[in-house]
Amino acid sequence: MAIALSDLLDERQVVLRLRSRKLPNAVREIIQLLEQTGKIDDAESFLQQVLAREQAHPSVVENHVAFPHARTDLVDEIVIGIGRSGAGIPFGTNQQRARLIFVIGVPERLLNDYLICVGALARIVKDEATRSRLLEAETAHEFVDALRAAL
């Protein structure tokens, strides 16, 4: 059975004001939320896997949005942590800035569900009105509501 994207969204896993300005630290901030909500046990190992994947295959930044992720046995289900940065976090060799960062952990066995979820997220954030709502949301609750409304 396919996993519904709305079931993966949790306002406790959203940080609207990333303090970090560099990719490794911004990803760490987001992953800490996943650890605090019990979605991941070994945050440091997960961070290293996400950063290793970013090193080998940098996320493409489109519309100021990036989806760094790791396929890993550190999670039993797909997990999503979200961060927003006013200035943007530089990604990849061209240092394009992402203002919305969706950090995703996916077990190997759920690869198809992951592709469906990330495809849905990509379609949602491609819409300029929805992206504006996400960038202007005052609370994590408003942010998640805007995502769910766009599904």
Side-chain angles (χ1 to χ4, degrees):
M1 181 173 152
I3 293 170
L5 178 59
S6 62
D7 294 340
L8 302 175
L9 302 173
D10 183 335
E11 63 190 64
R12 297 173 303 156
Q13 294 164 201
V14 176
V15 58
L16 296 180
R17 290 170 192 83
L18 285 169
R19 293 182 311 275
S20 304
R21 297 284 179 237
K22 296 188 188 242
L23 178 65
N25 295 333
V27 171
R28 176 178 275 113
E29 268 186 74
I30 297 166
I31 289 174
Q32 285 172 344
L33 294 177
L34 294 172
E35 183 179 41
Q36 289 166 8
T37 58
K39 294 293 183 180
I40 192 160
D41 292 327
D42 189 346
E44 193 57 37
S45 292
F46 182 60
L47 172 66
Q48 294 312 316
Q49 289 180 7
V50 171
L51 295 178
R53 191 197 176 284
E54 278 301 310
Q55 188 73 25
H57 307 285
S59 293
V60 174
V61 176
E62 192 170 322
N63 297 312
H64 300 283
V65 182
F67 299 97
H69 68 279
R71 293 182 204 150
T72 178
D73 59 2
L74 293 173
V75 294
D76 295 324
E77 61 185 9
I78 297 174
V79 297
I80 301 175
I82 305 166
R84 186 176 72 186
S85 169
I89 305 297
F91 273 77
T93 53
N94 62 4
Q95 296 293 282
Q96 274 195 296
R97 291 185 176 270
R99 295 192 57 209
L100 297 173
I101 301 165
F102 294 79
V103 176
I104 305 171
V106 60
E108 291 285 349
R109 66 182 169 75
L110 294 178
L111 185 56
N112 286 340
D113 289 333
Y114 160 75
L115 294 173
I116 291 166
C117 289
V118 82
L121 280 171
R123 280 190 300 281
I124 288 168
V125 298
K126 202 175 234 183
D127 178 70
E128 192 171 332
T130 299
R131 204 170 51 254
S132 289
R133 282 194 295 279
L134 295 174
L135 290 169
E136 294 167 9
E138 303 257 340
T139 66
H141 183 77
E142 282 179 29
F143 188 97
V144 170
D145 279 354
L147 278 175
R148 286 194 172 120
L151 291 175

